[in-house]
Structures are given as C-alpha cells and as structure tokens.
Amino acid sequence: MNAILRGVRVIDPLGRLDAPGQDVWIDGGKILAIYHHIDAAGVPVVDLTPPDGVDPCVLCPGFIDLHVHLRQPGDDEAETLETGARAAAAGGFTHMVAMANTTPPIDTPERVAEARLAASNLPVSILQVAALTRGLDGEELVDIRKCVESGAVALGDDGRNSVSPRQLAIALAETAHLSRAVFVHPEDEEMIAQANGTQGSVTRSPIRPVETETRAVNLAVRALSHARSGHLHLQHLSSEGSVASLRRARHQGLAVSAEVTPHHLSMWLPVAEEPDPQALRKVNPPLRGELDRVALVQALREGLIEAVATDHAPHRAAEKSLAYDDAAPGMIGLETALATCITIGGMGGEWLATLVERLTVGPHRILGPASGVPEPRLRIGESATCTLFDPNAEWTVGETPLHSRSRNTPLIGARLRGTVLLTLAGGRVIHQDPARVPIVSEQVTSV
Ligand SMILES: [Zn+2]
C-alpha cells in the first residue's frame, strides 16, 4: 500500500496527539508522515475530507480486545481462529485475548503452547489466557508459572467462577511475581444455583440477580487485599453496585482494573427490536436496567473502568434457538463493538477520543508490558498497526454478511453509526472497505 489518507483526525493517546485535518502517508506498510497537508508526486490520494460540520474519519492505533471466545478447539462450527480473526480485523481489532473455556480448556502449559501455535499465522494477534484452575472447576490451581512461560498473557476461568477466595489470593500472589493479571468473571455461582433452584453447572441458569455480581466482586477484591500483591481484573461489569465496589477498592489503593462490554454500555435499546429468538439477548451477566447502564458509561468515561472488551461469544444457531432458560448465554461482538459504543453506548461525539483510549491504551495497560503486546502507538517510520474508521457512516447489521461464523446478536437489522474502513496490523492490510478506501483493494492479506 502506498497512499495518502487526506483530511483525517489522528488520535494517538500515548503520543498525546489528537489532531483533525491531517494527511497520513502510508507506504509499504509504514507511516511515512503525518502532516496537515502532504503532496507527493505519483502517490494516490484517498480524500476523506468531511463536508463542513461533519465529524472526520479517525486514524488511531489498532484496537485491543481483552475478551473473546473463539471456540477452537472444540466447536469449529461456532467459530474458528480464522473466522474470529476476520471478524476482529473487520471490527478494527489488531490484537485479541482468547479465553480458556474451550473444549478441552486451556489449562496446562502444553495446551497454552498448542493454542499459541494454532494462532501463530493469523494477521490478528491472538493472545491466550490460561485457565486459573484445572477444568475451570475451582478445585486445583493450574501450574501458573509454566503456563506463563508457555505464553499465557493472563490467568482466568472466564465463563465460570468457582475458585475459592483463598485460592484466588494464592493465585494473585503468584501471578504478581510474573507480572500477569488474574481475570475474574464476577458472578457468585452458589447464589445463582440457589436463585435457580439448581445444582451443578450454572452457566445457562437464567436467573442472575445483581447481588450475584456485587458479591463476587467484593469477594474477589477481598482476596486481592489478603494477597497483598497481584493484579485483579474484573471482567464485564454490569451493574451500578459493582462500579461502587470498584471505586472503593481503587480508593484503598488496590491494583484492580475492570472492563465493560458494548452490550452492557448500551443494553441495545432503542435500536434493536425484541429479537427472535428471544435468547439472542441472553448473556452472562445479564443486561440490566438504565441506572446500571448509566453508571457503566460514567465509569468508562472517567477511566474508573479502563477498557471496552467485547466478550465475543459465538454460538451455533441451535444453541440459541432453545427455550430461553436452556439456551447458551453470550453474543458476538467484534464487528459491532465500535458502532455500538458510538451509537448507543454513550461514547460518540465528544467522547470519541476517550473511546479510542479505552479500546487501545486501556487494555494494553491491563495486560502490562510483560505480555509482549507492543504499545498502541502511531510511530513515524515503523510498521503501521492502526485502524481507520468513519464515526458517522451508517450501516445495517447483517445486511452484508458478518465475518464471524455465528450470527448470534440481537443487533441483526439494527441501524448503527460507525464503520471501520481500514485495518493494518504490522504493516499488512487485514481489512478494508473497498468502496471508501479503494486504493489498497488488491493487497488485502487473506485471513
Ligand atoms: Zn465471563
């Protein structure tokens, strides 16, 4: 690719740059120059200058997603590493962190190494979380040190939360020496089992009162304070009460971070109609009320919650067309994350630069430098890992086929604002909108 992108807003949070009206020259996968006007003989220009009063397209570092489920190994029909990578690239993501709850789970150093090998030739960097406990059943901690040595960027039993606070404290202390966070899916399994009158697996249990989350958050924070070291990362917060607990923990100086999903920021309304089947809205933790949503948006804006993470959870249609109580929880999110946050997640308009920060620098900080993930920066002369998006362009979800192998989102048919025009990873074009950025059409790296 050799082209000048004309008239874009460049947002590079770590470089403290937020400048509209810039020309960006990308040649051979490298950013050669960012300047208010660039002309170079023979170099094609993609003119993205907006009409007066219209927000410009944004060029920023590639997005990092802390939370995806790619279903490989175990359920290739729902998603593969390849289709997941394609969906990520289309959503502007250049890095994503795969959870360990595959079949079998990634709970040994050997499986971590296998997972990394399987993901090694994809243009989107797929980073791997190792399970915290064998089989995710909360009984026996994995060999944390060896899993990290095999390449795990974090530890966590996402999907489940059956580890005891005592075990969690031990794990936090151990991961502190390895500069890795422990990711916790904060839902109290005993309370859920009680509320549903069930025993055994609670993953599909439909009744999940808000107290199941706040209690789990408080127990995890207490484990962190007992451990006296370590980094606790709270996944997919969904409620006002959890935000309050997070705030208290931070005031106490504890090393606790948190993420929020686009669906909990938006709760879908009012763009999506009641989906059919209804279970398309079923997700853990559940979509809650407007007060919760507002508290989450506020916490993300102020930086108390540092990252937007999709919790991309593909499922085969058969798993979602069961009766609501029996259906699998979760929804896909890689391709709709940006547009959901902009259109109905409270992060458009004046909050766009903040949103970029929470999709790039925030998640990178949570992973930490020891993870090996390069700093999300736009550096002159280096291979570009970046995303170009139009915050205003409207599209209808599902009108053109999604890249994910699954279609389980209640947003099918919704009209959203915000489209990704171009994604580069390590200097390679991994996604492009051929209508808006025609210049690179022949060079897209197939994924
Ligand atoms: Zn989870």
Side-chain angles (χ1 to χ4, degrees):
M1 172 184 179
N2 184 12
I4 293 165
L5 306 173
R6 174 148 294 158
V8 302
R9 175 181 176 187
V10 178
I11 301 179
D12 181 5
L14 279 181
R16 297 184 185 283
L17 178 66
D18 182 356
Q22 300 296 301
D23 288 1
V24 180
W25 184 3
I26 301 177
D27 184 11
K30 290 181 179 166
I31 299 177
L32 283 193
I34 300 174
Y35 196 57
H36 63 80
H37 189 83
I38 303 172
D39 266 322
V43 180
V45 170
V46 179
D47 195 352
L48 297 162
T49 308
D52 275 354
V54 173
D55 291 335
C57 292
V58 172
L59 184 87
C60 63
F63 302 153
I64 301 170
D65 191 348
L66 288 178
H67 192 153
V68 299
H69 299 272
L70 296 176
R71 309 304 186 208
Q72 200 182 326
D75 194 358
D76 292 18
E77 273 183 54
E79 195 79 285
T80 64
L81 298 176
E82 192 180 312
T83 56
R86 209 176 291 151
F93 293 93
T94 54
H95 295 77
M96 59 180 165
V97 181
M99 295 300 113
N101 65 336
T102 48
T103 309
I106 311 301
D107 61 356
T108 65
E110 294 74 24
R111 285 182 185 160
V112 172
E114 282 166 21
R116 291 193 67 222
L117 190 65
S120 58
N121 278 326
L122 297 167
V124 170
S125 294
I126 301 177
L127 311 154
Q128 186 63 51
V129 164
L132 188 62
T133 64
R134 294 299 302 274
L136 284 70
D137 65 7
E139 296 292 322
E140 180 196 350
L141 291 176
V142 301
D143 187 333
I144 292 174
R145 174 174 295 279
K146 287 200 171 142
C147 283
V148 168
E149 285 169 1
S150 292
V153 294
L155 283 295
D157 282 347
D158 183 58
R160 298 290 312 277
N161 184 31
S162 54
V163 71
S164 69
R166 195 182 68 82
Q167 291 271 68
L168 179 58
I170 292 169
L172 282 160
E174 191 170 343
T175 49
H177 297 297
L178 303 163
S179 304
R180 294 293 191 279
V182 176
F183 286 18
V184 169
H185 168 127
E187 286 195 298
D188 190 286
E189 294 196 345
E190 281 175 29
M191 285 180 81
I192 294 169
Q194 241 167 29
N196 290 275
T198 50
Q199 291 183 325
S201 172
V202 295
T203 305
R204 297 193 182 202
S205 300
I207 305 168
R208 312 175 90 87
V210 70
E211 295 76 23
T212 61
E213 179 175 273
T214 43
R215 179 176 154 80
V217 165
N218 291 336
L219 285 175
V221 167
R222 205 175 307 161
L224 178 65
S225 82
H226 283 159
R228 295 169 189 269
S229 63
H231 170 186
L232 169 68
H233 177 65
L234 299 168
Q235 298 178 285
H236 47 51
L237 292 189
S238 74
S239 71
E240 193 182 14
S242 298
V243 169
S245 294
L246 172 63
R247 193 182 301 281
R248 276 197 301 276
R250 280 285 185 72
H251 282 159
Q252 291 165 21
L254 292 170
V256 53
S257 58
E259 68 188 35
V260 63
T261 69
H263 45 274
H264 289 109
L265 284 176
S266 63
M267 307 301 179
W268 301 125
L269 299 172
V271 299
E273 296 181 4
E274 196 56 43
D276 181 23
Q278 213 198 355
L280 287 173
R281 286 173 64 96
K282 183 176 178 180
V283 63
N284 295 343
L287 304 179
R288 302 192 192 277
E290 181 62 6
L291 286 178
D292 295 303
R293 190 191 74 82
V294 169
L296 294 166
V297 171
Q298 183 55 39
L300 184 68
R301 286 177 174 177
E302 71 179 82
L304 180 65
I305 295 176
E306 292 166 81
V308 171
T310 64
D311 195 2
H312 177 80
H315 287 294
R316 284 173 282 123
E319 293 291 328
K320 278 294 190 184
S321 48
L322 297 169
Y324 187 90
D325 288 6
D326 303 321
M331 50 185 80
I332 57 170
L334 283 165
E335 294 169 78
T336 51
L338 177 74
T340 303
C341 290
I342 289 175
T343 314
I344 44 176
M347 298 306 288
E350 64 180 303
W351 295 102
L352 209 52
T354 305
L355 175 61
V356 167
E357 205 275 351
R358 307 291 186 260
L359 282 165
T360 55
V361 180
H364 183 265
R365 197 165 43 233
I366 289 164
L367 291 172
S371 67
V373 179
E375 275 192 340
R377 283 291 311 271
L378 299 175
R379 291 185 204 272
I380 305 296
E382 292 187 6
S383 292
T385 295
C386 61
T387 295
L388 174 72
F389 66 90
D390 183 340
N392 289 306
E394 288 198 5
W395 60 294
T396 302
V397 180
E399 196 170 63
T400 53
L402 295 167
H403 296 81
S404 173
R405 201 157 197 187
S406 293
R407 278 173 60 88
N408 56 302
T409 166
L411 285 175
I412 297 286
R415 194 90 182 136
L416 299 180
R417 268 182 296 114
T419 60
V420 175
L421 305 182
L422 181 68
T423 312
L424 277 89
R428 291 190 294 173
V429 176
I430 57 170
H431 168 77
Q432 63 142 157
D433 178 335
R436 298 287 303 279
V437 190
I439 210 96
V440 294
S441 57
E442 72 286 2
Q443 294 175 35
V444 176
T445 302
S446 82
V447 283

Short mmCIF file of all heavy atoms in Angstrom, two decimals, residues 203-256:
data_model
loop_
_atom_site.label_atom_id
_atom_site.label_comp_id
_atom_site.label_asym_id
_atom_site.label_seq_id
_atom_site.Cartn_x
_atom_site.Cartn_y
_atom_site.Cartn_z
N THR A 203 -23.99 -22.25 34.28
CA THR A 203 -23.68 -21.39 33.13
C THR A 203 -24.93 -20.93 32.39
O THR A 203 -25.03 -19.79 31.97
CB THR A 203 -22.74 -22.13 32.16
OG1 THR A 203 -21.59 -22.56 32.90
CG2 THR A 203 -22.28 -21.23 31.04
N ARG A 204 -25.90 -21.83 32.25
CA ARG A 204 -27.11 -21.46 31.49
C ARG A 204 -28.27 -21.02 32.38
O ARG A 204 -29.33 -20.67 31.86
CB ARG A 204 -27.55 -22.63 30.61
CG ARG A 204 -26.49 -22.96 29.56
CD ARG A 204 -26.98 -23.88 28.47
NE ARG A 204 -25.87 -24.16 27.55
CZ ARG A 204 -26.00 -24.56 26.30
NH1 ARG A 204 -27.20 -24.75 25.80
NH2 ARG A 204 -24.95 -24.76 25.54
N SER A 205 -28.09 -21.06 33.68
CA SER A 205 -29.19 -20.68 34.58
C SER A 205 -29.61 -19.24 34.30
O SER A 205 -28.79 -18.33 34.28
CB SER A 205 -28.74 -20.80 36.03
OG SER A 205 -28.37 -22.13 36.30
N PRO A 206 -30.91 -19.02 34.08
CA PRO A 206 -31.34 -17.70 33.60
C PRO A 206 -31.47 -16.62 34.69
O PRO A 206 -31.37 -15.44 34.39
CB PRO A 206 -32.71 -17.99 32.99
CG PRO A 206 -33.22 -19.19 33.73
CD PRO A 206 -32.01 -20.00 34.09
N ILE A 207 -31.69 -17.04 35.94
CA ILE A 207 -31.95 -16.03 36.98
C ILE A 207 -30.62 -15.66 37.64
O ILE A 207 -29.97 -16.47 38.29
CB ILE A 207 -32.93 -16.58 38.04
CG1 ILE A 207 -34.21 -17.06 37.35
CG2 ILE A 207 -33.24 -15.53 39.09
CD1 ILE A 207 -35.12 -17.88 38.25
N ARG A 208 -30.20 -14.40 37.44
CA ARG A 208 -28.88 -13.95 37.91
C ARG A 208 -29.03 -12.56 38.52
O ARG A 208 -28.67 -11.56 37.89
CB ARG A 208 -27.87 -13.97 36.76
CG ARG A 208 -27.89 -15.27 35.95
CD ARG A 208 -26.99 -15.25 34.75
NE ARG A 208 -25.66 -15.72 35.04
CZ ARG A 208 -25.30 -17.00 35.00
NH1 ARG A 208 -26.17 -17.95 34.71
NH2 ARG A 208 -24.06 -17.34 35.28
N PRO A 209 -29.59 -12.50 39.75
CA PRO A 209 -29.82 -11.18 40.36
C PRO A 209 -28.52 -10.39 40.50
O PRO A 209 -27.44 -10.98 40.53
CB PRO A 209 -30.38 -11.53 41.75
CG PRO A 209 -30.71 -12.97 41.73
CD PRO A 209 -29.93 -13.60 40.64
N VAL A 210 -28.66 -9.10 40.61
CA VAL A 210 -27.49 -8.22 40.62
C VAL A 210 -26.56 -8.54 41.79
O VAL A 210 -25.34 -8.39 41.70
CB VAL A 210 -27.95 -6.74 40.63
CG1 VAL A 210 -28.60 -6.35 41.96
CG2 VAL A 210 -26.82 -5.81 40.26
N GLU A 211 -27.14 -9.04 42.89
CA GLU A 211 -26.31 -9.35 44.06
C GLU A 211 -25.30 -10.45 43.75
O GLU A 211 -24.26 -10.55 44.40
CB GLU A 211 -27.17 -9.81 45.24
CG GLU A 211 -28.10 -8.74 45.80
CD GLU A 211 -29.32 -8.51 44.92
OE1 GLU A 211 -29.70 -9.42 44.13
OE2 GLU A 211 -29.91 -7.40 45.00
N THR A 212 -25.61 -11.30 42.76
CA THR A 212 -24.64 -12.36 42.43
C THR A 212 -23.35 -11.75 41.90
O THR A 212 -22.27 -12.30 42.09
CB THR A 212 -25.21 -13.35 41.38
OG1 THR A 212 -25.50 -12.63 40.19
CG2 THR A 212 -26.48 -14.01 41.88
N GLU A 213 -23.47 -10.61 41.24
CA GLU A 213 -22.27 -9.95 40.73
C GLU A 213 -21.57 -9.15 41.83
O GLU A 213 -20.35 -9.28 42.01
CB GLU A 213 -22.61 -9.02 39.56
CG GLU A 213 -21.37 -8.31 39.01
CD GLU A 213 -21.64 -7.47 37.79
OE1 GLU A 213 -21.60 -8.03 36.68
OE2 GLU A 213 -21.92 -6.26 37.93
N THR A 214 -22.31 -8.33 42.55
CA THR A 214 -21.65 -7.48 43.55
C THR A 214 -20.97 -8.33 44.63
O THR A 214 -19.87 -8.01 45.07
CB THR A 214 -22.65 -6.49 44.19
OG1 THR A 214 -23.86 -7.18 44.48
CG2 THR A 214 -22.94 -5.36 43.27
N ARG A 215 -21.60 -9.43 45.00
CA ARG A 215 -20.96 -10.29 46.00
C ARG A 215 -19.66 -10.88 45.45
O ARG A 215 -18.64 -10.91 46.14
CB ARG A 215 -21.92 -11.42 46.41
CG ARG A 215 -21.31 -12.37 47.43
CD ARG A 215 -22.33 -13.43 47.88
NE ARG A 215 -21.68 -14.64 48.33
CZ ARG A 215 -21.14 -14.80 49.54
NH1 ARG A 215 -21.18 -13.83 50.41
NH2 ARG A 215 -20.55 -15.94 49.87
N ALA A 216 -19.69 -11.33 44.21
CA ALA A 216 -18.47 -11.90 43.61
C ALA A 216 -17.38 -10.84 43.48
O ALA A 216 -16.20 -11.13 43.70
CB ALA A 216 -18.80 -12.51 42.25
N VAL A 217 -17.77 -9.63 43.10
CA VAL A 217 -16.78 -8.54 43.01
C VAL A 217 -16.15 -8.31 44.39
O VAL A 217 -14.92 -8.23 44.53
CB VAL A 217 -17.44 -7.24 42.49
CG1 VAL A 217 -16.54 -6.03 42.73
CG2 VAL A 217 -17.77 -7.37 41.00
N ASN A 218 -17.00 -8.24 45.42
CA ASN A 218 -16.48 -7.95 46.76
C ASN A 218 -15.58 -9.08 47.27
O ASN A 218 -14.56 -8.81 47.90
CB ASN A 218 -17.64 -7.68 47.72
CG ASN A 218 -18.35 -6.37 47.39
OD1 ASN A 218 -17.75 -5.48 46.79
ND2 ASN A 218 -19.61 -6.26 47.76
N LEU A 219 -15.95 -10.31 46.99
CA LEU A 219 -15.10 -11.44 47.42
C LEU A 219 -13.76 -11.42 46.70
O LEU A 219 -12.71 -11.67 47.32
CB LEU A 219 -15.81 -12.78 47.15
CG LEU A 219 -16.96 -13.14 48.09
CD1 LEU A 219 -17.63 -14.43 47.62
CD2 LEU A 219 -16.45 -13.31 49.54
N ALA A 220 -13.77 -11.11 45.42
CA ALA A 220 -12.51 -11.07 44.67
C ALA A 220 -11.62 -9.93 45.17
O ALA A 220 -10.40 -10.09 45.30
CB ALA A 220 -12.80 -10.92 43.17
N VAL A 221 -12.23 -8.79 45.44
CA VAL A 221 -11.45 -7.65 45.96
C VAL A 221 -10.86 -7.99 47.33
O VAL A 221 -9.71 -7.67 47.63
CB VAL A 221 -12.33 -6.38 46.03
CG1 VAL A 221 -11.65 -5.28 46.84
CG2 VAL A 221 -12.65 -5.88 44.62
N ARG A 222 -11.64 -8.69 48.14
CA ARG A 222 -11.13 -9.09 49.46
C ARG A 222 -9.94 -10.05 49.30
O ARG A 222 -8.94 -9.96 50.01
CB ARG A 222 -12.24 -9.76 50.28
CG ARG A 222 -11.99 -9.64 51.79
CD ARG A 222 -13.14 -10.19 52.59
NE ARG A 222 -14.43 -9.62 52.22
CZ ARG A 222 -15.60 -10.17 52.49
NH1 ARG A 222 -15.67 -11.33 53.12
NH2 ARG A 222 -16.72 -9.58 52.14
N ALA A 223 -10.05 -10.96 48.34
CA ALA A 223 -8.93 -11.87 48.09
C ALA A 223 -7.68 -11.09 47.69
O ALA A 223 -6.56 -11.40 48.12
CB ALA A 223 -9.31 -12.87 46.99
N LEU A 224 -7.89 -10.05 46.89
CA LEU A 224 -6.75 -9.22 46.47
C LEU A 224 -6.12 -8.52 47.67
O LEU A 224 -4.90 -8.46 47.79
CB LEU A 224 -7.22 -8.19 45.44
CG LEU A 224 -6.16 -7.21 44.94
CD1 LEU A 224 -5.05 -7.92 44.16
CD2 LEU A 224 -6.80 -6.13 44.06
N SER A 225 -6.96 -8.02 48.57
CA SER A 225 -6.37 -7.33 49.71
C SER A 225 -5.67 -8.31 50.65
O SER A 225 -4.66 -7.99 51.25
CB SER A 225 -7.39 -6.43 50.41
OG SER A 225 -8.18 -7.15 51.27
N HIS A 226 -6.16 -9.56 50.73
CA HIS A 226 -5.45 -10.57 51.52
C HIS A 226 -4.12 -10.95 50.87
O HIS A 226 -3.14 -11.23 51.55
CB HIS A 226 -6.31 -11.83 51.69
CG HIS A 226 -7.38 -11.65 52.72
ND1 HIS A 226 -8.52 -12.42 52.77
CD2 HIS A 226 -7.51 -10.76 53.74
CE1 HIS A 226 -9.29 -12.01 53.77
NE2 HIS A 226 -8.69 -11.01 54.37
N ALA A 227 -4.12 -10.99 49.54
CA ALA A 227 -2.90 -11.40 48.83
C ALA A 227 -1.79 -10.37 49.00
O ALA A 227 -0.62 -10.70 48.92
CB ALA A 227 -3.20 -11.61 47.35
N ARG A 228 -2.18 -9.13 49.22
CA ARG A 228 -1.24 -8.01 49.38
C ARG A 228 -0.37 -7.77 48.14
O ARG A 228 0.60 -7.03 48.17
CB ARG A 228 -0.31 -8.21 50.58
CG ARG A 228 -1.02 -8.21 51.90
CD ARG A 228 -0.10 -8.68 53.01
NE ARG A 228 -0.84 -8.88 54.23
CZ ARG A 228 -1.01 -7.96 55.16
NH1 ARG A 228 -0.49 -6.77 55.01
NH2 ARG A 228 -1.72 -8.22 56.24
N SER A 229 -0.67 -8.46 47.08
CA SER A 229 0.04 -8.22 45.81
C SER A 229 -0.83 -8.79 44.70
O SER A 229 -1.84 -9.43 44.96
CB SER A 229 1.42 -8.88 45.82
OG SER A 229 1.28 -10.28 45.93
N GLY A 230 -0.39 -8.57 43.48
CA GLY A 230 -1.15 -9.11 42.36
C GLY A 230 -2.05 -8.05 41.73
O GLY A 230 -2.22 -6.96 42.26
N HIS A 231 -2.60 -8.41 40.58
CA HIS A 231 -3.45 -7.51 39.80
C HIS A 231 -4.74 -8.28 39.48
O HIS A 231 -4.71 -9.30 38.80
CB HIS A 231 -2.71 -7.08 38.53
CG HIS A 231 -3.56 -6.35 37.53
ND1 HIS A 231 -3.10 -6.00 36.29
CD2 HIS A 231 -4.83 -5.91 37.58
CE1 HIS A 231 -4.06 -5.38 35.61
NE2 HIS A 231 -5.13 -5.32 36.37
N LEU A 232 -5.82 -7.78 40.02
CA LEU A 232 -7.13 -8.38 39.79
C LEU A 232 -7.82 -7.61 38.67
O LEU A 232 -7.94 -6.38 38.72
CB LEU A 232 -7.97 -8.30 41.07
CG LEU A 232 -9.46 -8.64 40.94
CD1 LEU A 232 -9.65 -10.12 40.64
CD2 LEU A 232 -10.20 -8.24 42.22
N HIS A 233 -8.27 -8.35 37.65
CA HIS A 233 -9.02 -7.71 36.57
C HIS A 233 -10.44 -8.26 36.56
O HIS A 233 -10.66 -9.46 36.39
CB HIS A 233 -8.34 -7.95 35.22
CG HIS A 233 -9.12 -7.38 34.09
ND1 HIS A 233 -9.33 -6.02 33.94
CD2 HIS A 233 -9.79 -7.97 33.06
CE1 HIS A 233 -10.09 -5.82 32.87
NE2 HIS A 233 -10.38 -6.98 32.32
N LEU A 234 -11.40 -7.36 36.72
CA LEU A 234 -12.82 -7.74 36.77
C LEU A 234 -13.40 -7.66 35.37
O LEU A 234 -13.37 -6.60 34.73
CB LEU A 234 -13.57 -6.82 37.71
CG LEU A 234 -13.09 -6.84 39.17
CD1 LEU A 234 -13.71 -5.67 39.95
CD2 LEU A 234 -13.44 -8.17 39.84
N GLN A 235 -13.96 -8.76 34.91
CA GLN A 235 -14.48 -8.81 33.56
C GLN A 235 -15.94 -8.36 33.51
O GLN A 235 -16.68 -8.48 34.47
CB GLN A 235 -14.35 -10.25 33.03
CG GLN A 235 -12.90 -10.71 32.95
CD GLN A 235 -12.78 -12.14 32.48
OE1 GLN A 235 -13.04 -13.07 33.23
NE2 GLN A 235 -12.38 -12.33 31.23
N HIS A 236 -16.31 -7.85 32.38
CA HIS A 236 -17.70 -7.49 32.03
C HIS A 236 -18.60 -7.05 33.19
O HIS A 236 -19.63 -7.65 33.45
CB HIS A 236 -18.38 -8.62 31.25
CG HIS A 236 -18.23 -10.01 31.81
ND1 HIS A 236 -18.51 -10.32 33.12
CD2 HIS A 236 -17.84 -11.16 31.21
CE1 HIS A 236 -18.29 -11.62 33.29
NE2 HIS A 236 -17.88 -12.14 32.16
N LEU A 237 -18.23 -5.94 33.84
CA LEU A 237 -19.10 -5.42 34.91
C LEU A 237 -20.44 -5.01 34.30
O LEU A 237 -20.51 -4.48 33.19
CB LEU A 237 -18.45 -4.22 35.59
CG LEU A 237 -17.20 -4.53 36.42
CD1 LEU A 237 -16.79 -3.30 37.23
CD2 LEU A 237 -17.39 -5.72 37.35
N SER A 238 -21.51 -5.24 35.07
CA SER A 238 -22.84 -4.98 34.51
C SER A 238 -23.72 -4.12 35.40
O SER A 238 -24.86 -3.86 35.06
CB SER A 238 -23.56 -6.32 34.25
OG SER A 238 -23.98 -6.89 35.48
N SER A 239 -23.20 -3.70 36.56
CA SER A 239 -24.14 -3.06 37.50
C SER A 239 -23.52 -1.87 38.23
O SER A 239 -22.30 -1.78 38.40
CB SER A 239 -24.62 -4.08 38.52
OG SER A 239 -23.57 -4.39 39.41
N GLU A 240 -24.42 -0.99 38.68
CA GLU A 240 -24.04 0.19 39.46
C GLU A 240 -23.32 -0.23 40.74
O GLU A 240 -22.33 0.39 41.14
CB GLU A 240 -25.34 0.93 39.79
CG GLU A 240 -25.18 2.31 40.31
CD GLU A 240 -26.54 2.94 40.65
OE1 GLU A 240 -27.56 2.22 40.72
OE2 GLU A 240 -26.57 4.16 40.82
N GLY A 241 -23.82 -1.27 41.40
CA GLY A 241 -23.22 -1.72 42.65
C GLY A 241 -21.77 -2.16 42.45
O GLY A 241 -20.90 -1.91 43.30
N SER A 242 -21.49 -2.83 41.34
CA SER A 242 -20.12 -3.27 41.07
C SER A 242 -19.20 -2.08 40.81
O SER A 242 -18.04 -2.08 41.21
CB SER A 242 -20.10 -4.20 39.86
OG SER A 242 -20.85 -5.35 40.14
N VAL A 243 -19.75 -1.07 40.13
CA VAL A 243 -18.96 0.14 39.90
C VAL A 243 -18.61 0.78 41.25
O VAL A 243 -17.46 1.21 41.46
CB VAL A 243 -19.73 1.14 39.00
CG1 VAL A 243 -19.04 2.50 38.97
CG2 VAL A 243 -19.87 0.58 37.59
N ALA A 244 -19.56 0.81 42.17
CA ALA A 244 -19.31 1.39 43.50
C ALA A 244 -18.23 0.59 44.23
O ALA A 244 -17.33 1.15 44.87
CB ALA A 244 -20.60 1.43 44.32
N SER A 245 -18.29 -0.74 44.14
CA SER A 245 -17.27 -1.58 44.78
C SER A 245 -15.90 -1.35 44.17
O SER A 245 -14.89 -1.29 44.88
CB SER A 245 -17.63 -3.06 44.64
OG SER A 245 -18.81 -3.35 45.36
N LEU A 246 -15.87 -1.22 42.85
CA LEU A 246 -14.61 -0.96 42.15
C LEU A 246 -14.02 0.37 42.64
O LEU A 246 -12.83 0.48 42.91
CB LEU A 246 -14.87 -0.92 40.65
CG LEU A 246 -13.72 -0.47 39.74
CD1 LEU A 246 -12.55 -1.45 39.82
CD2 LEU A 246 -14.20 -0.34 38.29
N ARG A 247 -14.89 1.36 42.78
CA ARG A 247 -14.42 2.68 43.21
C ARG A 247 -13.82 2.61 44.62
O ARG A 247 -12.76 3.17 44.90
CB ARG A 247 -15.58 3.68 43.16
CG ARG A 247 -15.14 5.14 43.29
CD ARG A 247 -16.34 6.08 43.28
NE ARG A 247 -17.15 5.98 42.08
CZ ARG A 247 -16.85 6.54 40.90
NH1 ARG A 247 -15.74 7.24 40.79
NH2 ARG A 247 -17.65 6.41 39.87
N ARG A 248 -14.49 1.89 45.51
CA ARG A 248 -13.97 1.74 46.88
C ARG A 248 -12.61 1.05 46.87
O ARG A 248 -11.68 1.46 47.56
CB ARG A 248 -14.95 0.93 47.73
CG ARG A 248 -16.07 1.73 48.34
CD ARG A 248 -16.74 0.97 49.48
NE ARG A 248 -17.29 -0.31 49.04
CZ ARG A 248 -18.49 -0.45 48.47
NH1 ARG A 248 -19.26 0.61 48.28
NH2 ARG A 248 -18.93 -1.63 48.09
N ALA A 249 -12.50 0.01 46.07
CA ALA A 249 -11.23 -0.74 46.01
C ALA A 249 -10.09 0.14 45.50
O ALA A 249 -8.98 0.11 46.02
CB ALA A 249 -11.39 -1.97 45.12
N ARG A 250 -10.40 0.96 44.51
CA ARG A 250 -9.39 1.87 43.99
C ARG A 250 -8.97 2.90 45.04
O ARG A 250 -7.79 3.22 45.18
CB ARG A 250 -9.93 2.61 42.77
CG ARG A 250 -9.89 1.82 41.52
CD ARG A 250 -8.45 1.74 40.98
NE ARG A 250 -8.45 1.07 39.71
CZ ARG A 250 -8.92 1.61 38.59
NH1 ARG A 250 -9.38 2.84 38.57
NH2 ARG A 250 -8.92 0.93 37.48
N HIS A 251 -9.97 3.39 45.78
CA HIS A 251 -9.65 4.38 46.83
C HIS A 251 -8.74 3.76 47.89
O HIS A 251 -7.96 4.46 48.54
CB HIS A 251 -10.92 4.94 47.46
CG HIS A 251 -11.59 5.96 46.60
ND1 HIS A 251 -12.92 6.32 46.71
CD2 HIS A 251 -11.10 6.70 45.58
CE1 HIS A 251 -13.21 7.23 45.80
NE2 HIS A 251 -12.13 7.48 45.10
N GLN A 252 -8.87 2.46 48.07
CA GLN A 252 -7.99 1.78 49.03
C GLN A 252 -6.61 1.51 48.44
O GLN A 252 -5.75 0.91 49.09
CB GLN A 252 -8.61 0.44 49.45
CG GLN A 252 -9.86 0.59 50.32
CD GLN A 252 -10.66 -0.72 50.41
OE1 GLN A 252 -10.12 -1.79 50.16
NE2 GLN A 252 -11.92 -0.60 50.76
N GLY A 253 -6.42 1.87 47.19
CA GLY A 253 -5.11 1.70 46.57
C GLY A 253 -4.86 0.31 46.03
O GLY A 253 -3.71 -0.06 45.74
N LEU A 254 -5.93 -0.49 45.88
CA LEU A 254 -5.74 -1.86 45.40
C LEU A 254 -5.55 -1.89 43.88
O LEU A 254 -6.12 -1.07 43.15
CB LEU A 254 -6.95 -2.72 45.78
CG LEU A 254 -7.11 -2.96 47.28
CD1 LEU A 254 -8.46 -3.60 47.58
CD2 LEU A 254 -5.98 -3.83 47.81
N ALA A 255 -4.76 -2.85 43.42
CA ALA A 255 -4.48 -2.98 41.98
C ALA A 255 -5.60 -3.77 41.32
O ALA A 255 -5.50 -4.97 41.06
CB ALA A 255 -3.14 -3.68 41.78
N VAL A 256 -6.71 -3.09 41.09
CA VAL A 256 -7.86 -3.74 40.46
C VAL A 256 -8.27 -2.93 39.24
O VAL A 256 -8.36 -1.71 39.30
CB VAL A 256 -9.03 -3.91 41.47
CG1 VAL A 256 -9.38 -2.62 42.13
CG2 VAL A 256 -10.24 -4.54 40.80
#
